[in-house]
Amino acid sequence: VQLQASGGGLVQAGGSLRLSCAASGRRFNGGYMGWFRQPPGKEREFVAAIRWSGGNSYYTNSVRGRFTISRDNAKTTLYLNMNDLKPEDTAEYYCASGERIIMSAMRDPRAYDYWGQGTQVTVSS
């Protein structure tokens, strides 16, 4: 499975960006796909996840209400719509997937099997 993330860039505070993560290889049958981010000098942290069957979505508190995770109907592309961006959202953003993830583990990056390359999001004040 290959994941290809794109859509990062430089934006002013209050602006918006849409990240995409295209999946190729075999089709997913379950589990979760998620977005994580790694700010400069910090550890990778959970941003959002979506359950592959059912589409239930989950967010870290700092982005809830501003970010929306979604997937296309063909279930081959994952999105992260980011609105009202803040300087503290600046980070390298990664998409990830794992078919064997259970709900209690979906915020843990160690639970994910496949990772895309990062895409940089920089928010200026």
Side-chain angles (χ1 to χ4, degrees):
V1 176
Q2 290 81 42
L3 302 177
Q4 182 75 31
S6 61
L10 173 64
V11 65
Q12 289 187 333
S16 299
L17 283 173
R18 187 191 202 197
L19 304 185
S20 299
C21 177
S24 61
R26 62 183 178 82
R27 189 179 180 85
F28 290 113
N29 292 315
Y32 290 82
M33 286 196 75
W35 288 98
F36 291 79
R37 65 187 181 187
Q38 188 163 12
K42 297 185 179 180
E43 293 185 352
R44 193 168 297 189
E45 62 185 27
F46 171 79
V47 176
I50 188 167
R51 187 172 178 178
W52 211 237
S53 59
N56 302 69
S57 56
Y58 307 88
Y59 301 90
T60 192
N61 288 339
S62 63
V63 309
R64 188 173 289 113
R66 300 187 296 122
F67 291 12
T68 303
I69 188 171
S70 63
R71 50 168 169 72
D72 67 347
N73 289 336
K75 300 181 181 179
T76 59
T77 305
L78 180 72
Y79 301 101
L80 185 68
N81 285 296
M82 305 186 294
N83 297 316
D84 190 23
L85 282 160
K86 305 176 185 299
E88 52 264 40
D89 294 319
T90 295
E92 189 86 2
Y93 282 71
Y94 299 87
C95 57
S97 68
E99 288 187 321
R100 297 168 294 175
I101 299 173
I102 59 175
M103 185 175 175
S104 60
M106 54 95 175
R107 298 172 186 268
D108 187 346
R110 297 170 297 178
Y112 290 76
D113 297 316
Y114 304 102
W115 290 84
Q117 90 293 355
T119 184
Q120 178 68 35
V121 172
T122 302
V123 184
S124 62
S125 57

